[in-house]
Amino acid sequence: MAIAENATELQLNSVIGFSGEVPDGLKYLPCGEYIVYPLGSIIVLRHLQENKQSFLEGHTQGVTCLAVSHDGTRLASGQTHHSGVKADVIVWDLEKAKENCRNGTPSAGGEVVHRLFQHLGKVQAVDFSCDDQFLLTLGGRDDNALVVWEAATGRPICGAPAGADAALCARWLRNRSDRLVTAGNYHLRVWQVDVALPKIQAMDAKLGQMKRVIQCLDVSPDDEVAYCGTKTGDLLRINVNRDDIQGYNDPDAVVPTLQGYSTHRYAKGIKAVRCVLNPQTGNTNVLVGSGDGTLGFMNPALNPVAGKSAALMGGVTSVSLAPDGRGAYVGTDQAMRYYVTLDMDVELRGTCHYGPIMDVVFPVDCPDLFLTCSVNDIRVWNARVRQELLRIQVPNLVCNCVGITDNGGTIVSGWTDGKVRAFFPESGRLKFVITDAHAESVTALAACHEDDSRPPWRLVTGGKDGRVRVWQITSSHQSLLHSMKEHRGEVNCIRVNAQNSQCVTASADGSCIVWDMERYVRVAAMFEPTVFRAVAYHPDESQYLTCGSNHKVTYWDAYDGSAIRVIDGGEEEMVCLDIEPQGELFISGGADKLVKVWHYDDGVEVATGVGHSGRVNALRISPDQRTVVSVGEEGAIMIWDMPDDMQSGEGKSRK
């Protein structure tokens, strides 16, 4: 990700999202006041009471695992990377992150303590020993190596292949810093670590005829047994006692052994387990989270506890017990965060999209709200408190584009089934459906700047079939005014001018066409050997701005459609554009995962935002010009502060 030399850093104000697919990714801090969780390539530290955030930024790809030290001062995280490239393990200073959170400087930095390189392709798991002296890291499927590090210095102590087959999880014993457990495909191993030699030795557990893929594990408080969740949905109890490192010819007297397994099976496998000590009986119960969203207790006999279960939205991937012992934070693979008491009372604490976010839009003159669309739904957000206000669900479909009429009376959206759906913004109730808007997906749309409370009004849509269609919307029906077929590829963007006299469409066929909205004929066309992704009008409508797969931003003259200037936009495909109302600045995003602010007249990059771990699919400048909202392929919504010296007079006056 190349950043211009003279560009300032675009400050990340807040984020909405949670990478719920990361195993055991949601963590309580020991103080009980904060939680940490991954979002793409960043890690979010959030204060539970004050709703403040700070960000740990340093990974270059998506975060795959997290571990918090027992004293709450350190956090370790691993990431994924390209095959054959070493993936980072970063040790962070949580005290510095808390200070940044309290001071309201979420992106101040300074948290990186160590950056460790050993594993190729992916870091599968990390964990701190009980005394926080040592850190274990486990490589992914292509690496499959186990390494023990000195936590204070970041020095590697010893390591070994984790097993003959892939290891998927690892955990230190709770009361010993010289013994740990790894498990994965059809095996469980108990390791003895001798730091003085240094040496690490594995002993395979005797599982008999049991063949299971172990996805998660937790060690009991007395270090006697490990409870293992499997892909087939049963829970294993394995005794993890073993001999210390013996001589070469000495036989093993104590070997880890399978003690039992549950007859009850959870649908879609067990993805999270936590041992919970019952203070009344002294027994160890197991809190189990499954792939079908079930969270429940199992007793020491490995039977489900009656009445102690809850159904959550999405597969449970994280269970973090609260330090006060009253409940747990639970994360699911649909980016939902819950607080669940031990009596199974469920409280929803956080939501977001769990798939790629395709589009974002602000209502006119309303910086406090914005809309996003993704897999299965459209959501309306409060930008100030980062809270979901409304969710409009259409199951088993993807919403490719979303818009809202100028007076805010109708939300319009395009879907992969070729239909246009409109909704009431207050209730989310369906207003109308254009059933055969396009033969394939509706890929772009734009509402004309007309009052939808006084119909008729017009809506322009573009499809994967290359057609551009204009619809007349009345209170009783929706009729096709004209269908224009000149594009030979997918229509990726539509913009209507302020007077509703023209619109411009950008297509994957390398053409942008300007259409007359009265006669519905082509007025001008712009061609370039690229896949056009976005087009925008300059506020005075004297020029067009385009970007696409050629990594360029092109300025076009609106009078004759000739190219005026071409500037280099980066090293990857450019996907989206937006221009602030005075025309002094514009912003862009693309496959390089960067949000860039440009000076329009100079064509110079003046600020850059680093935070996304996937392609930036859409972005918008807020109506008050104080923030930029970007959405990405990884499912993150990021809100950036526009620097004071780059805000227009209107944005400054509102401060």
Side-chain angles (χ1 to χ4, degrees), residues 82 113 138 145 183 186 228 354 364 493 585:
H82 302 296
V113 178
L138 178 65
Y186 316 114
C228 306
Y354 61 90
V364 174
C493 185
L585 301 169

Side-chain angles (χ1 to χ4, degrees), residues 401-540:
C401 47
V402 67
I404 189 166
T405 53
D406 281 8
N407 69 341
T410 306
I411 297 173
V412 290
S413 57
W415 298 78
T416 50
D417 61 352
K419 296 181 181 180
V420 171
R421 293 176 172 87
F423 304 92
F424 291 97
E426 297 90 352
S427 62
R429 187 166 54 87
L430 186 66
K431 191 172 185 178
F432 64 81
V433 179
I434 303 176
T435 54
D436 296 314
H438 291 273
E440 298 181 65
S441 295
V442 180
T443 54
L445 55 74
C448 289
H449 308 288
E450 298 166 338
D451 188 353
D452 65 335
S453 64
R454 302 175 63 186
W457 53 280
R458 290 175 296 174
L459 178 68
V460 186
T461 64
K464 196 172 182 179
D465 54 6
R467 286 178 168 82
V468 178
R469 290 177 169 171
V470 183
W471 305 86
Q472 180 170 275
I473 312 299
T474 69
S475 56
S476 60
H477 65 279
Q478 304 81 43
S479 59
L480 178 64
L481 291 179
H482 209 279
S483 179
M484 299 166 281
K485 180 67 173 85
E486 291 200 28
H487 288 301
R488 296 176 178 268
E490 178 179 325
V491 179
N492 289 320
C493 185
I494 301 174
R495 292 284 187 269
V496 179
N497 69 354
Q499 293 77 31
N500 299 320
S501 60
Q502 292 182 351
C503 75
V504 58
T505 56
S507 173
D509 64 359
S511 69
C512 284
I513 298 179
V514 183
W515 306 92
D516 188 304
M517 291 291 288
E518 302 297 332
R519 297 179 294 131
Y520 304 111
V521 296
R522 184 178 72 179
V523 176
M526 298 159 281
F527 299 98
E528 207 167 24
T530 184
V531 174
F532 281 116
R533 291 294 183 188
V535 61
Y537 279 99
H538 188 273
D540 64 10

Side-chain angles (χ1 to χ4, degrees), residues 202-283:
M203 185 179 291
D204 287 298
K206 293 182 178 180
L207 302 180
Q209 299 298 316
M210 181 71 67
K211 302 293 184 183
R212 294 291 186 270
V213 175
I214 298 174
Q215 301 186 115
C216 54
L217 67 88
D218 196 21
V219 180
S220 63
D222 58 5
D223 286 344
E224 290 292 323
V225 297
Y227 292 93
C228 306
T230 67
K231 197 171 183 178
T232 48
D234 40 9
L235 184 69
L236 311 183
R237 184 174 62 231
I238 300 173
N239 187 297
V240 293
N241 286 324
R242 56 157 287 175
D243 292 324
D244 292 336
I245 297 177
Q246 304 287 329
Y248 183 75
N249 293 321
D250 295 335
D252 295 321
V254 181
V255 180
T257 308
L258 176 67
Q259 287 188 340
Y261 59 91
S262 64
T263 56
H264 175 82
R265 293 193 177 187
Y266 288 89
K268 299 184 179 180
I270 297 175
K271 296 188 175 183
V273 293
R274 277 294 173 272
C275 294
V276 181
L277 186 64
N278 188 332
Q280 297 177 351
T281 63
N283 294 329

Side-chain angles (χ1 to χ4, degrees), residues 102-170:
R102 290 191 298 266
N103 295 339
T105 54
S107 298
E111 304 97 345
V112 177
V113 178
H114 303 299
R115 191 181 290 268
L116 314 176
F117 297 94
Q118 182 62 44
H119 302 290
L120 297 177
K122 180 183 179 182
V123 181
Q124 183 72 30
V126 292
D127 195 28
F128 283 96
S129 62
C130 62
D131 56 6
D132 295 330
Q133 288 190 35
F134 307 113
L135 172 70
L136 74 81
T137 60
L138 178 65
R141 187 177 297 274
D142 295 337
D143 181 85
N144 205 37
L146 175 67
V147 180
V148 176
W149 308 77
E150 191 173 39
T153 63
R155 178 179 63 89
I157 298 174
C158 52
D165 210 330
L168 302 177
C169 49

